[in-house]
Amino acid sequence: MTTASVSASDVISPPDLEVVNMTKQFGSLVALDHVSMHLKPGTFHALLGENGAGKSTLVKCIMGFYQPTSGDVLVGKRSREIASPKDAHQYGIGMVYQHFTSVPAMTVAENLVLSRFDPSVMIRWQEERDRLQAFMDQAPFQVDLEVPVAQLAAGQKQKLEILKQLYLNSRILILDEPTSVLTPGEADEVLGLLRQEVTNGRLSVLMISHKFREVMTFTDEVTVLRKGKFAGHGLVKDLTIADLSSMMLGEAREPKIVDKVITTADRPVLEFTDIHANKDNGLPAVRGTSLTVYSGEIVGIAGVSGNGQRELVEVLSGQRSPTTGTVVVNGTPYGATRSEMFHNGVFSLPEEPLRNACVPHMSVAENMALRTFDRPPQSKGSFLRLGSIRQMANRLIQQFSVKTPTPETPISHLSGGNVQRAVLARELSSDQINLLIAANPCFGLDFSAVEFIHGQIVAARNRGVAVLLVSEDLDELLSLADRIVVMSDGEFVYESAIADADLSTIGQRMAGH
Amino acid sequence: MASEALGWLGVPLAIAAGTMRGGTPFLFVSLGECLTEKSGKINLGLEGTLLTGAMSAYAVSYLTRDSLGPMLAPFAGVLVAGLAGMVLGFIHGWLCQQPRVNDVAVGIAMIIFGSGVAFFFGKPFIQPSAPLLPTIDLLAWTDLPEQFQSAVKISPLFVLGVAIAPLMTWFFRSTRWGLFIRAVGDSPDAALAMGVSIFKVRMLSIVAGSFLAGIGGASLSLYYPGVWTELVSSGQGLMAVALVIFARWQPMQCLWASLLFGGAQALGPALQSVGITQGYYLFNAAPYVLTLVIMVITCSPTRTMTGVPGALGSDR
């Protein structure tokens, strides 16, 4: 990319994108039902809806991943056949996915070069480097070119994804929940810079989101989908959060949080001292952390992902051995064996529950019985009592509204939110529960699932359960926790009762200052 | 005899010669496996490919010795060995990318299939002697002892293998195709998002890798030991897979590792040549011991390996 072509592209505004009457069926399932939307040139447009509302299907049809059953995509007022992401790229449309699509083992420079649809076989690194540097210098944000992507923090990776599209000269950016892995600070920075590009008329942005705050702050227009159908559209300046919420959920619904009752946090339940642990690659991840969690309180651990929270949670849940340090639960040393978990009432909601808390190919009922199958009434001697297991599963499925075709369905067939509900049901159904360790329990879940899980966590706390909540979502911590701790580079660098917590200090500590 | 004249000096010399001779098949198979594994699939079947390559190279060299002459016939053999490898690679590449098919299981089946094919068609070629590949004699003009001479006889295949290693490093770094293979091997989702066909990339990587392994087989039957028997490979194809792990999936490291394995293999015969017959079988087991030792050293419960392609061993 030369400077000449950049200044030329400054003049041309991004193309107009319109979706007309689009329908997409997967077998008997209608994922999109006659949906239309219009992305005007040089605007920031939000696509709002709950999980399963059809937002992703719509953008995947625009990008050529799926072929719509009927309906048209108009780019620059003309109907276009988009058969693959390559075609979409030709019309200047680029997409940033919810999950990172850079190759972790390659450097930023390699990823950028690779992303280009370019027939040349050989790569002259000398020239490429100069060109990439020139591109980076005039880009809205910078990422070091020579660093392998695996070593980038989440925010940096997300920036790289966006840079990649800018590098490809995309004039219409489609962002699929771009901030779900970012801290609020990072999210504001990235969206703010994109907002600037849009205001300058260099880009149009279509952003899938279910965060009202971002929609209200950064976007011009919003289109709302509900259950695959068009549910509303408007200029953001004319709408309130209540309007958006009612369009998205069907009826106006106030976010309800179970009220916290006053508990006396006096009995220490979880105490760990001087925990050190290594990452998978043998480098230190947790460097000497100590904390006590009392009964009836929620202690939140905030921090940008990759600062040792994952390893700390793995140590506490027995998935990783600490290099030094002790964990004490209810006054006795705790090694996270199955019997210790049972006797001390330790339960956990790990992140990525399908990977960390489920056996994916086993059924929902079997997964729900993982804590209890080896003791009566679910087993008798060495034999399982399947009837009792199924009975409990049915009860939990109903109580926690897990959407599953049958209790016998493999749990990996469920959506993310329902897997999380199933695990939550298993972990919170016991009356012996004493300590709950939760890590990013609401990652990637929709509005109603988040509300449900938050309610359950607070309800557990109100019953006197000690809760350790590790989360990358600061808003979540601020609304749930009684005490907040900030983890940065493997150490606890800030601790405060929630009432005295100072947001700007927390932000600085999270950023390592 | 020359070896007696050389005495103990003969041991390092024999090992040096053996390093080149014995290292050549390791080199080709490990480079082939390296290419394959970079794309995210394992091909254990290279053991079978090695045998098929050895058999077809020997057979073609024998059958065409009159029509092509003893100079060209072995080269025709090398080419056909590579092509035979490609056929096996194609079968593996297609099978292991079917839904719910595991590449390790297919690989084991391909070991059996490849060696079966080699034994079945190779029966008539065990007795006759085919023209072997010529060697480059660097010291032919001197009057040094015969053992020196044989030590520096270099096969063109060895030279080719040594040239391929840095070429492959360059390929992975500086060509679009190389980047595609690494992307597919490390993060198939990312590759898919770039519009790269995972199936095609893996298929081509496996087929090209099998081509190299087939040539590795030709080096067994037409260079060293230079015969075709059913025991000619003795598990070298499988050892080469271990060697790729040892080499951290880097072609240049594959070269050094192959030389090390080749040298280890030459230890037994070298010691025998100076009259140490005790523990002959033990010394012959050196490559196997080396494989085990490397496995033990490289695996650790607390660390994950560096350099391993992200999709390797997963179902993606």
Side-chain angles (χ1 to χ4, degrees):
Chain A
M1 191 187 299
T2 63
T3 39
S5 76
V6 170
S7 55
S9 62
D10 276 348
V11 190
I12 317 156
S13 66
D16 185 278
L17 174 71
E18 211 173 341
V19 175
V20 182
N21 257 335
M22 187 172 280
T23 299
K24 175 68 188 172
Q25 287 181 315
F26 295 103
S28 61
L29 179 82
V30 183
L32 273 183
D33 191 0
H34 296 93
V35 172
S36 300
M37 64 154 286
H38 186 187
L39 175 63
K40 301 188 191 88
T43 56
F44 205 131
H45 198 121
L47 190 56
L48 202 62
E50 286 200 283
N51 278 5
K55 298 164 300 189
S56 293
T57 312
L58 176 63
V59 295
K60 281 182 176 164
C61 285
I62 298 176
M63 286 304 295
F65 271 104
Y66 299 148
Q67 297 310 309
T69 314
S70 69
D72 268 324
V73 178
L74 276 63
V75 183
K77 303 277 181 202
R78 279 176 54 193
S79 175
R80 311 281 184 173
E81 188 68 40
I82 300 179
S84 73
K86 224 173 191 164
D87 292 351
H89 166 251
Q90 289 205 318
Y91 300 123
I93 308 169
M95 179 160 168
V96 174
Y97 299 87
Q98 194 172 357
H99 304 289
F100 299 128
T101 58
S102 294
V103 182
M106 292 190 188
T107 65
V108 170
E110 284 177 325
N111 268 290
L112 284 173
V113 169
L114 189 59
S115 68
R116 211 173 45 199
F117 296 98
D118 182 341
S120 71
V121 175
M122 282 209 324
I123 298 160
R124 293 180 219 289
W125 277 111
Q126 206 69 44
E127 292 169 30
E128 289 293 348
R129 272 206 189 95
D130 295 345
R131 264 185 286 173
L132 285 169
Q133 202 53 57
F135 161 75
M136 220 33 123
D137 290 342
Q138 53 86 38
F141 24 76
Q142 275 73 41
V143 179
D144 189 349
L145 284 170
E146 298 306 320
V147 175
V149 170
Q151 288 173 20
L152 295 178
Q156 297 278 88
K157 282 187 197 165
Q158 189 62 276
K159 283 181 189 169
L160 171 61
E161 297 293 326
I162 294 170
L163 281 175
K164 218 194 260 180
Q165 293 307 322
L166 299 178
Y167 179 65
L168 293 174
N169 258 327
S170 294
R171 312 306 307 283
I172 298 177
L173 269 190
I174 300 178
L175 308 175
D176 189 356
E177 299 188 18
T179 59
S180 57
V181 289
L182 306 187
T183 62
E186 285 174 324
D188 286 354
E189 187 200 349
V190 170
L191 292 180
L193 289 165
L194 282 177
R195 174 72 251 184
Q196 239 168 43
E197 295 287 297
V198 172
T199 311
N200 293 340
R202 273 181 256 184
L203 275 181
S204 300
V205 177
L206 176 63
M207 176 174 79
I208 295 183
S209 181
H210 43 232
K211 289 186 183 162
F212 291 149
R213 190 184 64 85
E214 288 166 3
V215 173
M216 297 307 285
T217 318
F218 296 104
T219 67
D220 302 307
E221 272 187 77
V222 58
T223 296
V224 185
L225 299 184
R226 185 170 70 239
K227 292 176 181 159
K229 293 196 173 87
F230 176 82
H233 164 258
L235 296 176
V236 170
K237 63 178 190 315
D238 304 333
L239 296 166
T240 63
I241 288 186
D243 295 334
L244 292 178
S245 175
S246 69
M247 280 193 234
M248 190 165 122
L249 300 172
E251 74 269 17
R253 204 164 61 177
E254 284 296 304
K256 72 164 195 280
I257 289 282
V258 178
D259 288 330
K260 287 191 192 172
V261 299
I262 295 167
T263 54
T264 48
D266 52 356
R267 186 172 61 86
V269 176
L270 168 71
E271 296 164 87
F272 55 89
T273 30
D274 199 31
I275 296 278
H276 286 259
N278 289 344
K279 277 186 252 188
D280 287 343
N281 58 14
L283 297 172
V286 183
R287 312 155 184 262
T289 52
S290 306
L291 187 70
T292 305
V293 185
Y294 295 90
S295 65
E297 72 163 350
I298 299 177
V299 176
I301 296 184
V304 180
S305 68
N307 274 289
Q309 303 98 312
R310 173 197 287 260
E311 287 80 6
L312 178 63
V313 170
E314 285 176 352
V315 166
L316 295 178
S317 54
Q319 286 179 296
R320 182 180 294 273
S321 3
T323 45
T324 56
T326 50
V327 182
V328 171
V329 174
N330 291 336
T332 49
Y334 176 74
T337 61
R338 193 169 168 84
S339 67
E340 280 171 333
M341 283 181 199
F342 178 73
H343 289 300
N344 290 307
V346 179
F347 291 85
S348 69
L349 290 176
E351 59 184 355
E352 298 180 62
L354 197 58
R355 202 170 72 103
N356 286 314
C358 295
V359 186
H361 298 303
M362 277 163 72
S363 73
V364 173
E366 287 165 333
N367 271 290
M368 281 179 162
L370 287 182
R371 288 271 182 202
T372 48
F373 71 89
D374 54 351
R375 59 191 91 246
Q378 298 193 340
S379 70
K380 195 174 184 184
S382 308
F383 295 94
L384 294 181
R385 299 177 62 185
L386 299 176
S388 160
I389 289 177
R390 194 176 312 116
Q391 203 181 355
M392 182 187 76
N394 279 324
R395 184 169 53 80
L396 289 179
I397 286 169
Q398 200 166 31
Q399 194 183 338
F400 285 79
S401 13
V402 182
K403 284 183 198 134
T404 173
T406 65
E408 280 73 40
T409 309
I411 198 158
S412 56
H413 291 193
L414 268 52
S415 74
N418 283 308
V419 171
Q420 187 68 283
R421 274 170 195 257
V423 172
L424 191 75
R426 179 180 82 207
E427 300 296 310
L428 289 182
S429 59
S430 164
D431 19 301
Q432 306 285 322
I433 175 164
N434 199 359
L435 169 64
L436 177 69
I437 299 167
N440 292 314
C442 301
F443 183 85
L445 300 189
D446 67 31
F447 194 64
S448 55
V450 169
E451 194 180 294
F452 177 80
I453 288 171
H454 284 176
Q456 292 293 328
I457 290 175
V458 173
R461 167 206 174 269
N462 289 346
R463 293 205 308 269
V465 174
V467 181
L468 182 67
L469 174 65
V470 179
S471 177
E472 285 156 28
D473 183 351
L474 197 53
D475 293 336
E476 175 175 86
L477 291 174
L478 291 175
S479 66
L480 297 182
D482 298 290
R483 198 145 56 95
I484 190 161
V485 175
V486 174
M487 192 166 188
S488 174
D489 204 17
E491 292 174 67
F492 291 157
V493 292
Y494 178 88
E495 184 178 342
S496 156
I498 208 76
D500 313 326
D502 175 31
L503 205 54
S504 72
T505 317
I506 290 177
Q508 283 170 19
R509 293 286 185 275
M510 280 169 70
H513 290 295
Chain B
M1 242 179 85
S3 64
E4 277 158 9
L6 282 166
W8 278 94
L9 195 65
V11 176
L13 200 62
I15 290 177
T19 300
M20 275 189 284
R21 287 194 301 238
T24 307
F26 281 129
L27 182 56
F28 277 97
V29 179
S30 64
L31 286 176
E33 185 68 21
C34 181
L35 180 61
T36 302
E37 289 191 15
K38 276 275 188 192
S39 79
K41 285 281 174 197
I42 295 174
N43 187 358
L44 286 181
L46 290 191
E47 169 73 15
T49 313
L50 192 70
L51 277 166
T52 306
M55 182 280 293
S56 47
Y58 199 81
V60 168
S61 177
Y62 174 72
L63 293 174
T64 59
R65 70 192 186 284
D66 295 327
S67 51
L68 290 175
M71 275 306 279
L72 280 181
F75 286 101
V78 171
L79 188 68
V80 172
L83 295 177
M86 286 170 83
V87 172
L88 290 179
F90 181 81
I91 298 173
H92 180 80
W94 187 83
L95 271 178
C96 77
Q97 296 197 71
Q98 296 311 302
R100 281 177 286 176
V101 171
N102 179 285
D103 47 353
V104 172
V106 174
I108 291 170
M110 291 303 294
I111 295 178
I112 298 165
F113 179 68
S115 31
V117 166
F119 298 163
F120 179 74
F121 290 107
K123 272 274 181 280
F125 302 104
I126 291 176
Q127 284 301 326
S129 87
L132 300 184
L133 279 167
T135 50
I136 306 161
D137 297 349
L138 283 184
L139 298 178
W141 49 273
T142 63
D143 50 0
L144 283 164
E146 208 269 324
Q147 203 156 15
F148 271 120
Q149 302 270 12
S150 70
V152 289
K153 273 185 185 160
I154 297 168
S155 163
L157 281 185
F158 178 72
V159 178
L160 182 68
V162 170
I164 289 175
L167 198 72
M168 202 182 271
T169 306
W170 173 84
F171 172 78
F172 284 136
R173 222 181 73 82
S174 293
T175 65
R176 190 157 295 274
W177 271 97
L179 290 192
F180 279 157
I181 291 173
R182 284 167 60 199
V184 167
D186 203 55
S187 173
D189 288 330
L192 211 56
M194 286 175 229
V196 178
S197 162
I198 294 173
F199 183 87
K200 277 187 206 160
V201 169
R202 286 191 171 153
M203 177 60 100
L204 289 174
S205 302
I206 292 169
V207 168
S210 300
F211 179 80
L212 290 178
I215 291 183
S219 88
L220 281 177
S221 61
L222 295 180
Y223 170 39
Y224 181 80
V227 287
W228 158 243
T229 71
E230 293 177 358
L231 295 171
V232 75
S233 92
S234 58
Q236 292 185 25
L238 282 173
M239 271 186 271
V241 176
L243 204 142
V244 176
I245 300 169
F246 178 52
R248 296 270 174 269
W249 293 270
Q250 288 172 10
M252 281 312 286
Q253 305 273 14
C254 283
L255 173 60
W256 309 130
S258 303
L259 295 181
L260 183 69
F261 270 63
Q265 222 177 22
L267 190 64
L271 287 175
Q272 199 189 25
S273 73
V274 291
I276 298 179
T277 46
Q278 258 175 345
Y280 173 71
Y281 290 102
L282 203 63
F283 289 122
N284 269 354
Y288 308 95
V289 175
L290 201 62
T291 309
L292 263 179
V293 168
I294 285 167
M295 284 302 188
V296 170
I297 291 172
T298 51
C299 76
S300 149
T302 55
R303 269 182 319 147
T304 48
M305 256 182 294
T306 50
V308 47
L312 206 59
S314 72
D315 280 345
R316 283 308 315 269

